């Protein structure tokens, strides 16, 4: 999830707090001042965890960390002016939406991520995984899944 979507989700933090749902951003690396910049711009009052061993990333991809190829990523960039691939369309939408946000190409960048909502106890209730770099889940879907996760289970 890039900064635009993270900021949109963070704005809904009061709803999650009211449900008793913890909002956490899990990142795979801490490069330069990127976490500090991310916190200032998009995630000011929620937790950020560095998962250098990438356990979360493997968990949402059913045991394996998902790496996209440099050729796939560059291919998406190259065909972007033509509308090209789904990845190109995603990147173009991200650029349009991120006009007021700092973008970066710092860090490894080819490991795809995702989002998950866990039930108390650790079971995954909802997972979204990136097929293309820049994809993100619907914020409304994350909130709906969080409401379900907050319900008592029997």
């Amino acid at each position: 999830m890039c900064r635009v979507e993270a900021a949109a989700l963070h704005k809904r933090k009061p709803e999650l707090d009211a449900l008793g749902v913890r909002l956490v951003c899990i990142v795979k690396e801490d490069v330069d001042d990127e976490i500090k910049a991310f916190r200032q711009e998009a995630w000011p009052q929620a937790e950020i965890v560095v998962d250098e061993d990438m356990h979360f990333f493997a968990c949402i991809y059913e045991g394996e960390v998902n790496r996209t190829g440099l050729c796939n990523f560059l291919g998406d960039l190259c065909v972007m002016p033509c509308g090209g691939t789904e990845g190109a369309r995603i990147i173009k939408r991200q650029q349009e939406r991120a006009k007021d946000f700092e973008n970066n190409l710092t860090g490894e960048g080819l490991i795809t991520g995702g989002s998950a909502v866990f039930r108390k106890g650790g079971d995954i209730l909802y997972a979204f995984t990136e097929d293309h770099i820049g994809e993100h889940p619907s914020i409304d879907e994350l909130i709906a899944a969080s409401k379900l996760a907050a319900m008592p289970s029997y």
Side-chain angles (χ1 to χ4, degrees):
M1 184 179 290
C2 64
R3 293 179 188 192
V4 175
E5 285 76 27
L9 178 58
H10 189 275
K11 285 181 183 175
R12 310 252 330 242
K13 186 179 183 308
E15 290 176 64
L16 299 172
D17 289 344
L19 294 168
V21 173
R22 191 170 138 209
L23 182 60
V24 179
C25 176
I26 301 173
V27 298
K28 66 183 181 304
E29 58 192 352
D30 186 3
V31 178
D32 300 328
D33 288 331
E34 288 304 312
I35 290 177
K36 180 180 176 184
F38 177 78
R39 178 175 298 289
Q40 288 174 342
E41 193 168 31
W43 208 256
Q45 298 175 345
E47 190 175 351
I48 299 174
V49 174
V50 179
D51 178 16
E52 291 176 349
D53 295 327
M54 294 189 271
H55 294 294
F56 170 76
F57 297 86
C59 176
I60 62 172
Y61 284 96
E62 299 178 357
E64 296 289 327
V65 173
N66 190 47
R67 289 176 173 82
T68 189
L70 183 58
C71 289
N72 290 341
F73 179 66
L74 292 176
D76 286 342
L77 290 176
C78 291
V79 297
M80 195 168 53
C82 304
T85 67
E86 179 61 21
R89 287 187 285 279
I90 291 165
I91 292 168
K92 187 171 174 65
R93 279 194 305 268
Q94 291 298 95
Q95 287 176 331
E96 291 167 359
R97 295 185 68 218
K99 290 179 181 162
D100 297 330
F101 287 81
E102 180 80 22
N103 290 310
N104 73 70
L105 294 174
T106 305
E108 181 277 329
L110 295 177
I111 294 175
T112 59
S115 301
V117 176
F118 295 87
R119 288 190 187 278
K120 199 174 237 181
D123 291 334
I124 296 178
L125 176 68
Y126 170 90
F128 174 89
T129 54
E130 285 181 298
D131 288 327
H132 301 278
I133 292 174
E135 281 185 309
H136 56 85
S138 155
I139 301 297
D140 289 335
E141 285 181 15
L142 286 171
I143 298 297
S146 297
K147 289 177 181 177
L148 287 175
M151 298 173 79
S153 55
Y154 299 97

